Amino acid sequence: MSHPGSGARVILSVACLAEAEAMLPLATGLAAEAGATLEGLLFEEADSIALALVGAARIVDPAGRTLVGLDPSRMGAAYARDAARFERLLSRAAEDAALRWSFRHARGRLTEALASIAAPGDLLVLPAGPLRTPLREIVLAAGADAALTPLAEAAATRMSRPLRRLLVPGLPQLGAGSVLFSRYEAPRLAALLAETRCIHVLRS
Amino acid sequence: MDQIATGQPLSARHLAGEEDFALGFATTAELDPLSDWPGQDRALEALRLAADTDHGDFNLYVLGTPGTGRHSATRQVLAEAAARRPPPPDRVYVNRFDDPRRPIAIDLPPGRAVELRDALRKVVNDLADEIPAIFESEDYQTRRRAIEDSYSERHEQAMGVLADAARARGMAIVRTPMGFGVAPRKGDEILPPDEYEKLPEDERNRIGAAIDELRDQLEDVLKDVPRGLKAQRAEVEELNVAMAREGVDAALADAVRRFADHPPVTRHLQALREDLIDNAELFLIREDGAQAGAFPVATSRHHLKPQFRRYAVNVIVGQDPEKATGAPVVEESLPTLANLIGRIEYASDQGTLVMNFTMIRPGALHRANGGFLILDAMQVLSEPLAWDALKRSLKSGEIAIYSAGERFSLISTETLDPDPMPLKLRVVLVGDRTLYYLLAAFDPDFGRLFKLEADFDDRMERNAESALLLARLIGTMARADGLRPVAAGGVARLLAESLRLADDGERFALNLAALGDILREADHLAGAAAAEAIGRDDVEAAIAAAERRAGRLRERSQEAIARGVLLIDTDGARVGQVNALSVLEIGKTRFGRPGRVSARVRMGAGKLVDIEREAELGGPIHSKGVMILSGYLAGSYAPDLPFSLWASLVFEQSYGGVEGDSASAAELFALLSALADLPIDQSLAVTGSVNQFGDVQAIGGVNEKVEGFFDTCAARGLTGRQGVLIPVSNVPHLVLRPRVRDAMEAGRFRVIPIATVDEGIALLTGRSAGSRGPDGIFPPDSVNGRVEARLIGYAEARQRFGQKASPSEAGG
């Protein structure tokens, strides 16, 4: 059962079910640690729709086979299917952890959507880059919000992964298995996602 | 005993009785206990041979009458022999990991089966704690993570290179629910479709070529993922095996060291080690919720969990090393097939019958292996397939476990085929003689497998030495049963009863069970009288009480005579009628009863009609006795003339079968009385068989017969004339009840031994039998003279009858 709007939230934003599966344990742990509502967001990026329309675009499935006959309706159906599965996964995980939860399925530009959704104190969990791998490290950005420190430490402990604290401001080269805890800055989100390939935990 | 004079009444001093025993002790407490069985030397010799020899097939059949000490002697002799033998090896079944249908049988030194079982339980319990700890350890997690990271990094790197190349060429790779998309980029976003359409054709071609190139590379990267995962899994598996091996070797080290000198166990431990390593994940299965139980995991007995049964040791025969002395002596009172050769139990799992090697249960053959197995022969033979299984096991020298269902192909479920266990033991069957002779006659295997017989005698010669032995045995029985000691008088009475049980004043019966019953009842009576020892009167009372309890039929029989329902005369005289005696035996009741035998005669063609036989109530031995009478009559009287007698003989008021020849003397006396037309004294009864020369021969049950007629007479009042004629050869068998002895002593009842028919007929008729004179003729007034005269008369009459002209001849 969802209870949107009750206190701080951990918003897990993904583009597909594979990303949700990879990141849900992290988001659930954060919500449990922070006592926050877990909110799932499956976002249909406008780029993905464009992908189905651009004649030269190609889609290769996870097994390495090129898909033919690409059209927006198939893409839409795939999103709907992933959304339903994501919601089931989310509800099960939240109930197991005794968390309040909500789910939404949205379209448009992610950066714009998050800017409108995120409220102060929310934690945004979202991936950058196309590849997801097992989590390998927790990284706490230099100058990150003080409230993020205990959450990063708890995540590192829970997942038995090392916690790395960055002392110098800026964006290091992080791999897909890294989780970077940092401040949410709406104007810079698009660039942040374009320039990095890790998982981000952003506190607004 | 005085010389016996035939034709004269016996006195009590001629009879065997308790007075004969001069015992030189006050009570049996003074006697040394007897550890042997008197009078059973032959049987004990066979028992000891069976117990001590190591030769195969020297199995033993202990035969004899129940109550002769067969079981107790067998148990004691075997127990003594077993104590001298080394304890047999322990035996276990363990899992054959490469073929669980065929469990492996392993022999172990005595006492080590339980040690092995406990050692492997400890291994499992230890591993159940250690393997999860190993796989949860920082070391393992780090090493595993390093492997996984190396592969994911390799993949990540390939994707990163590809993403960088795409970005450099103005392309984007984006994640969608359908997979990875490759498309032209405009800034940080995908080139809108309408803008793409507006591009010049060569530009679109360039983009298309770049996308196809990137797509090819993407395909390669993604197709490489499964290969990487496979390699990663293999590497993780290697790590797992290495880690598990470390844990398993540590856990098994103690067991391996302790059983290093035992190759079969070492081989099993090696196979177990491989299986533990291969299946280490079994130890990572966690129980949650209600199944976890109330106790913390650390105190749980992990070896009981179903997934660890494969590592169990099923102890089929295990001994406590502290107590393992000697070979086993096992007595199986219910020798079913399963109780004999063992069984494999089934369990129902989701509607299917399942089994495993831990469900193999031992049978008596397993438990007695290396020692002795005592079985009741009748029980083994009456249990389906048990006798067959026993013979198969003895013949093959191994125990193969199977069920009746398998034997008859009634079970279609999967079953086990355990290694047969080697068998070496001595089987002792205890049974009766009939069964022994039947087996010997009809089962060809029996003689080969049971080469020895221990034949327990049911009687022992009476002399001073044997009387003392029996007295000591009585004392030992009293001591063993926690009874009072037996006073000398009590022992003497018991000895007399032993003679009575043997039906022989010169033999003691070795029916220890019967003596024991009397002893226990006498002890009860002595206890009620607060006596310190069992006295003569206690024994007498116990015997009398037992007779009274079993005496309903006897009393009914005597009552029928007393009321005149059964016609028995005990005074007066009558022609052609004599009191005979028979014994009735029903269950534990055995008593004598008088019966009337009558004979009628007339001229005829030499036929003696046995009415019992004609009515099909007479048995073959009875018929034989009657035919002997014909021979006696034909050979003794008027031998030169045709035997021209027709006579009929019958047991009056006898409606059941008649068997035996003990009434043939009485029948002959009735015939002679009828032929001589001389009345027989009805105050006498007769028992004995005769031969064709007129000798009176011994019969059985003489005591009961005498007492039966005595009781009839006593009920009507003893006259002093009443008595019984018995064969003189039966006098040593007389062990009469005190009431009869007392009456004989007082001259109120007579027991008269006779040796010949002439003696008997003279006593019965009061007239001399008569011997042929020098002229070959019997004195005319003697019994024989009157008989011969009657028979000559019949012959002459018959001759005359044959010479009469037929009516046709007269007319001609």
Side-chain angles (χ1 to χ4, degrees):
Chain A
M1 191 63 193
S2 63
H3 300 279
S6 53
R9 294 174 297 172
V10 171
I11 302 169
L12 171 60
S13 172
V14 296
C16 63
L17 183 67
E19 287 184 341
E21 285 174 334
M23 295 163 60
L24 189 56
L26 171 67
T28 307
L30 286 171
E33 188 68 27
T37 299
L38 179 61
E39 185 168 321
L41 171 62
L42 184 83
F43 201 84
E44 287 185 34
E45 180 66 51
D47 279 356
S48 299
I49 305 301
L51 196 68
L53 296 171
V54 174
R58 296 288 181 270
I59 288 189
V60 181
D61 73 6
R65 293 167 304 198
T66 299
L67 301 181
V68 293
L70 203 59
D71 65 56
S73 64
R74 279 185 69 188
M75 185 67 85
Y79 270 113
R81 198 165 48 242
D82 273 18
R85 289 181 187 167
F86 180 19
E87 185 172 7
R88 280 201 297 277
L89 273 183
L90 182 76
S91 69
R92 198 175 306 140
E95 281 163 12
D96 287 350
L99 293 173
R100 287 170 300 182
W101 65 278
S102 67
F103 177 76
R104 71 173 79 183
H105 179 187
R107 295 183 184 84
R109 290 289 169 191
L110 178 65
T111 50
E112 293 166 10
L114 287 178
S116 66
I117 292 170
D122 284 349
L123 287 174
L124 306 179
V125 181
L126 65 165
L131 183 67
R132 298 274 64 80
T133 61
L135 302 186
R136 284 201 299 276
E137 64 170 350
I138 306 296
V139 181
L140 187 59
D145 191 327
L148 281 174
T149 304
L151 292 174
E153 288 171 348
T157 303
R158 191 170 56 252
M159 293 187 289
S160 303
R161 296 286 162 174
L163 170 65
R164 183 150 62 105
R165 295 169 197 269
L166 300 180
L167 301 176
V168 182
L171 278 177
Q173 282 289 0
L174 295 176
S178 300
V179 181
L180 178 62
F181 282 65
S182 62
R183 185 193 307 272
Y184 170 56
E185 295 174 59
R188 289 198 62 249
L189 183 59
L192 181 72
L193 295 178
E195 291 166 17
T196 59
R197 295 185 189 120
C198 63
I199 294 168
H200 290 278
V201 177
L202 305 170
R203 187 164 192 275
S204 68
Chain B
M1 201 179 290
D2 293 350
Q3 188 67 34
I4 305 296
T6 57
Q8 300 297 316
L10 295 170
S11 75
R13 70 175 184 281
H14 292 115
L15 310 179
E18 59 194 286
E19 298 80 8
D20 299 344
F21 302 108
L23 301 167
F25 57 85
T27 73
T28 53
E30 300 168 20
L31 301 177
D32 292 333
L34 193 66
S35 58
D36 230 334
W37 285 263
Q40 305 292 8
D41 295 346
R42 178 179 26 229
L44 292 173
E45 186 184 330
L47 260 174
R48 289 186 178 117
L49 176 61
D52 292 335
T53 184
D54 279 331
H55 295 300
D57 299 339
F58 270 53
N59 298 302
L60 177 74
Y61 189 106
V62 178
L63 60 156
T65 311
T68 50
R70 294 171 305 168
H71 286 94
S72 55
T74 301
R75 283 188 202 111
Q76 183 169 322
V77 170
L78 296 185
E80 288 167 3
R84 295 191 296 270
R85 288 184 171 221
D90 283 358
R91 291 189 161 90
V92 300
Y93 272 115
V94 295
N95 191 20
R96 190 188 296 271
F97 294 103
D98 55 356
D99 185 2
R101 275 193 66 252
R102 296 170 49 231
I104 299 169
I106 296 179
D107 285 3
L108 288 152
R112 301 211 67 189
V114 173
E115 182 188 346
L116 177 63
R117 181 195 68 193
D118 292 347
L120 292 189
R121 281 181 179 175
K122 184 173 183 307
V123 167
V124 168
N125 290 340
D126 288 352
L127 286 175
D129 292 331
E130 284 170 14
I131 286 193
I134 288 170
F135 284 95
E136 285 164 10
S137 67
E138 187 73 20
D139 178 37
Y140 172 76
Q141 295 294 338
T142 304
R143 288 162 74 176
R144 178 172 182 152
R145 209 172 294 139
I147 294 168
E148 289 169 351
D149 287 354
S150 72
Y151 282 94
S152 63
E153 275 170 18
R154 194 182 308 162
H155 180 53
E156 193 180 319
Q157 191 178 4
M159 280 295 280
V161 168
L162 188 61
D164 288 345
R167 192 170 183 80
R169 298 178 70 172
M171 303 293 160
I173 297 176
V174 294
R175 189 84 186 243
T176 77
M178 298 176 72
F180 297 91
V182 185
R185 191 163 54 83
K186 180 188 177 189
D188 288 335
E189 294 166 359
I190 302 290
L191 181 68
D194 52 342
E195 289 187 33
Y196 174 78
E197 294 300 331
K198 290 175 188 167
L199 291 174
E201 188 175 353
D202 58 339
E203 180 62 12
R204 290 207 305 267
N205 289 341
R206 187 194 63 78
I207 289 172
I211 285 175
D212 285 344
E213 195 178 325
L214 287 169
R215 186 203 63 194
D216 289 344
Q217 291 172 11
L218 181 60
E219 282 180 0
D220 290 344
V221 169
L222 291 174
K223 282 176 180 169
D224 195 44
V225 171
R227 284 193 288 272
L229 285 174
K230 189 177 173 186
Q232 174 190 317
R233 274 197 297 272
E235 212 169 311
V236 168
E237 186 66 24
E238 272 179 36
L239 172 65
N240 290 348
V241 166
M243 299 297 281
R245 185 184 296 126
E246 210 172 289
V248 167
D249 286 345
L252 270 174
D254 182 50
V256 169
R257 181 184 53 74
R258 279 155 66 183
F259 290 93
D261 56 347
H262 206 70
V265 177
T266 306
R267 278 195 296 276
H268 175 64
L269 292 178
Q270 183 59 33
L272 180 129
R273 172 182 177 272
E274 301 298 329
D275 194 81
L276 281 168
I277 292 168
D278 288 348
N279 296 286
E281 72 274 8
L282 290 175
F283 293 90
L284 301 175
I285 298 172
R286 292 207 172 269
E287 287 180 357
D288 294 309
Q291 290 185 329
F295 291 98
V297 171
T299 60
S300 294
R301 290 180 293 173
H302 300 286
H303 65 270
L304 295 177
K305 294 176 183 170
Q307 68 264 34
F308 300 136
R309 278 191 198 131
R310 58 199 283 115
Y311 304 122
V313 173
N314 185 358
V315 178
I316 298 297
V317 180
Q319 297 160 79
D320 184 341
E322 303 294 322
K323 300 174 186 168
T325 55
V329 179
V330 174
E331 194 165 353
E332 178 56 65
S333 58
L334 182 61
T336 60
L337 175 68
N339 286 353
L340 214 50
I341 62 170
R343 65 184 181 281
I344 304 168
E345 294 177 343
Y346 295 86
S348 178
D349 182 17
Q350 298 180 355
T352 306
L353 292 178
V354 295
M355 60 176 73
N356 60 55
F357 76 98
T358 66
M359 298 162 95
I360 300 173
R361 299 285 175 261
L365 287 173
H366 294 97
R367 294 197 304 276
N369 206 355
F372 304 97
L373 175 61
I374 304 173
L375 298 170
D376 183 278
M378 179 59 88
Q379 294 274 1
V380 180
L381 287 162
S382 55
E383 286 294 339
L385 297 179
W387 176 242
D388 180 68
L390 178 64
K391 289 194 300 179
R392 277 175 190 278
S393 302
L394 291 175
K395 278 195 276 191
S396 62
E398 57 186 27
I399 317 167
I401 301 177
Y402 56 87
S403 67
E406 286 171 56
R407 186 77 197 282
F408 294 126
S409 303
L410 297 176
I411 293 179
S412 59
T413 188
E414 187 182 5
T415 185
L416 295 182
D417 182 19
D419 280 354
M421 284 195 170
L423 176 70
K424 186 173 184 188
L425 85 172
R426 182 75 66 235
V427 176
V428 177
L429 292 177
V430 182
D432 61 31
R433 288 195 173 84
T434 311
L435 209 50
Y436 176 80
Y437 297 130
L438 286 173
L439 283 170
F442 295 112
D443 188 340
D445 294 328
F446 179 70
R448 192 169 69 75
L449 295 174
F450 289 82
K451 293 189 189 303
L452 296 177
E453 63 183 274
D455 194 346
F456 272 71
D457 215 335
D458 49 11
R459 54 187 62 203
M460 172 173 67
E461 189 179 356
R462 170 189 156 186
N463 53 42
E465 188 187 350
S466 62
L468 186 60
L469 279 175
L470 208 51
R472 285 175 61 197
L473 183 64
I474 289 167
T476 306
M477 286 163 64
R479 208 166 291 149
D481 283 4
L483 310 180
R484 290 166 181 73
V486 188
V491 172
R493 183 66 190 91
L494 280 166
L495 294 180
E497 188 61 17
S498 174
L499 297 175
R500 170 63 182 241
L501 289 169
D503 252 345
D504 193 338
E506 296 174 352
R507 296 286 183 277
F508 288 120
L510 295 174
N511 190 338
L512 308 182
L515 290 181
D517 290 344
I518 296 169
L519 199 56
R520 281 183 282 275
E521 189 167 344
D523 178 71
H524 172 72
L525 297 172
E532 289 184 0
I534 300 170
R536 188 259 170 210
D537 292 344
D538 299 321
V539 176
E540 181 62 43
I543 294 167
E547 272 204 344
R548 190 166 54 254
R549 285 195 296 272
R552 190 182 68 83
L553 287 174
R554 181 169 55 84
E555 286 172 11
R556 291 285 172 277
S557 173
Q558 292 293 344
E559 183 184 282
I561 295 170
R563 296 175 65 191
V565 178
L566 281 178
L567 297 177
I568 299 292
D569 291 337
T570 53
D571 55 16
R574 194 156 179 185
V575 173
Q577 175 181 304
V578 69
N579 291 323
L581 296 165
S582 57
V583 171
L584 273 73
E585 189 165 6
I586 304 168
K588 288 170 73 178
T589 307
R590 178 178 154 95
F591 59 93
R593 190 183 71 167
R596 177 180 286 175
V597 171
S598 63
R600 299 300 299 272
V601 295
R602 53 157 287 166
M603 184 198 80
K607 183 170 183 184
L608 194 55
V609 175
D610 175 7
I611 292 178
E612 303 298 333
R613 183 175 144 196
E614 298 294 321
E616 297 184 352
L617 288 171
I621 297 173
H622 178 259
S623 298
K624 178 186 171 189
V626 173
M627 285 185 256
I628 287 171
L629 303 188
S630 286
Y632 174 78
L633 290 174
S636 301
Y637 304 106
D640 302 331
L641 294 173
F643 190 46
S644 304
L645 170 70
W646 181 94
S648 63
L649 281 169
V650 70
F651 272 77
E652 306 284 358
Q653 293 184 289
S654 166
Y655 308 107
V658 175
E659 180 55 316
D661 63 353
S662 69
S664 60
E667 289 165 331
L668 182 54
F669 292 141
L671 267 176
L672 295 177
S673 164
L675 285 168
D677 196 23
L678 289 171
I680 284 178
D681 185 350
Q682 298 299 304
S683 59
L684 293 173
V686 179
T687 185
S689 67
V690 293
N691 62 21
Q692 295 193 95
F693 300 102
D695 300 318
V696 178
Q697 305 166 139
I699 43 79
V702 65
N703 293 302
E704 286 82 1
K705 287 173 177 171
V706 171
E707 287 162 6
F709 191 63
F710 172 83
D711 289 338
T712 300
C713 297
R716 293 176 175 171
L718 295 174
T719 61
R721 184 172 179 76
Q722 294 147 334
V724 180
L725 307 189
I726 65 166
V728 67
S729 49
N730 273 126
V731 172
H733 303 147
L734 287 174
V735 190
L736 294 168
R737 291 293 180 214
R739 62 182 188 278
V740 185
R741 295 168 59 96
D742 293 345
M744 289 169 66
E745 198 63 32
R748 293 186 290 123
F749 191 75
R750 300 182 294 168
V751 176
I752 305 169
I754 55 172
T756 63
V757 171
D758 285 351
E759 276 181 351
I761 195 66
L763 286 164
L764 290 168
T765 59
R767 190 174 295 216
S768 167
S771 303
R772 292 188 187 278
D775 53 355
I777 297 171
F778 288 114
D781 206 29
S782 68
V783 177
N784 287 335
R786 292 172 68 93
V787 170
E788 189 160 66
R790 171 69 70 90
L791 288 173
I792 290 170
Y794 284 159
E796 289 171 350
R798 187 178 170 202
Q799 195 175 22
R800 285 196 301 276
F801 187 74
Q803 285 172 349
K804 277 185 184 173
S806 66
S808 58
E809 285 172 339

